[in-house]
Amino acid sequence: MRGAFRTLLCALLLTALASSISAQFRLFGPRSPRPTPQPKQQMRKASAYISSQAPLKVNQSLLKQATADNVHVVVSLPKQRAYLMIGEQIVADSPISSGKAGHSTPSGNFYVLEKDPDHRSSIYGDFVDGYGRTVRSGISAKIDSAPSGTHYVGASMRWFMRLTGEGVGMHVGILPGYPASHGCIRMSADGAKLFYDTVRVGTPVKVGD
């Protein structure tokens, strides 16, 4: 009798334990496998955009014929290219970056009004302290106030060729592959130097489509 009772008691305990485990399994469920972490998409470097533009191309035989009196410049805003030309022939084909939205490069027929090999912007630049350290960069002298102990240093615009009295010109600058300037026509260092060395004050420049 006692043996039968013990067997019955063990059976009841096992049944209760199984029910408890089953209930917990239904409540919490099986562990889902951890999702595989996806690699973060890295931002493209500026060099990736720069390389998307064809580099400066020069027709060396035509360049030998180019003089300050027979060249003119054509700038295509949609193509983001500037062309140094003799008549209808392209002497040099250079990548550019024109004015971004809100600071678009003006279209029209212009002339080189001034040449300055080491020009600096009178509007855009940095606030620098007495030790030459940049305190605030990318500021507008028309809007921003200089922090105490600093002074304004205009952004470098090497090989500057002025097109308008308001300061729009062609010069060395960063080429991200799209319009990004405050209105000027940025060029690569080699492109700006070639154009600068060939044109003169009075050279015609057509900017447009």
Side-chain angles (χ1 to χ4, degrees):
M1 184 71 178
R2 288 182 179 178
F5 178 75
R6 288 177 180 174
T7 301
L8 179 61
L9 182 60
C10 288
L12 290 172
L13 289 173
L14 289 172
T15 301
L17 180 60
S19 298
S20 175
I21 293 173
S22 177
Q24 291 183 31
F25 186 82
R26 289 195 302 271
L27 178 62
F28 298 103
R31 279 190 179 180
S32 300
R34 291 185 178 181
T36 304
Q38 297 296 320
K40 291 183 178 180
Q41 188 174 4
Q42 295 183 347
M43 292 182 64
R44 296 180 68 188
K45 295 181 180 179
S47 58
Y49 290 102
I50 293 172
S51 63
S52 69
Q53 287 181 289
L56 174 70
K57 301 174 185 177
V58 181
N59 184 321
Q60 294 295 338
S61 61
L62 279 177
L63 182 60
K64 293 177 182 178
Q65 303 173 35
T67 70
D69 296 318
N70 68 4
V71 298
H72 64 279
V73 176
V74 174
V75 177
S76 172
L77 299 179
K79 293 180 180 178
Q80 291 291 280
R81 309 293 295 185
Y83 306 97
L84 182 67
M85 306 189 69
I86 298 177
E88 297 299 315
Q89 300 181 89
I90 298 175
V91 178
D93 173 356
S94 173
I96 66 163
S97 177
S98 59
K100 60 187 177 182
H103 297 274
S104 58
T105 300
S107 298
N109 295 308
F110 306 94
Y111 295 91
V112 175
L113 302 177
E114 173 194 359
K115 292 175 63 179
D116 184 352
D118 196 19
H119 188 73
R120 286 191 174 270
S121 174
S122 60
I123 301 175
Y124 302 104
D126 305 322
F127 287 135
V128 178
D129 66 16
Y131 296 97
R133 297 173 300 194
T134 300
V135 176
R136 288 181 60 190
S137 62
I139 61 90
S140 169
K142 289 185 175 182
I143 301 174
D144 302 299
S145 299
S148 177
T150 68
H151 61 279
Y152 170 78
V153 175
S156 176
M157 303 166 78
R158 291 275 292 165
W159 310 121
F160 182 71
M161 296 161 275
R162 182 185 296 275
L163 301 182
T164 74
E166 291 73 32
V168 174
M170 305 174 71
H171 61 81
V172 176
I174 297 173
L175 304 180
Y178 51 85
S181 79
H182 286 98
C184 282
I185 299 165
R186 298 178 185 170
M187 306 180 71
S188 61
D190 52 354
K193 179 67 164 57
L194 188 149
F195 277 56
Y196 184 94
D197 287 344
T198 309
V199 304
R200 62 174 173 79
V201 172
T203 294
V205 179
K206 182 178 180 179
V207 181
D209 300 333

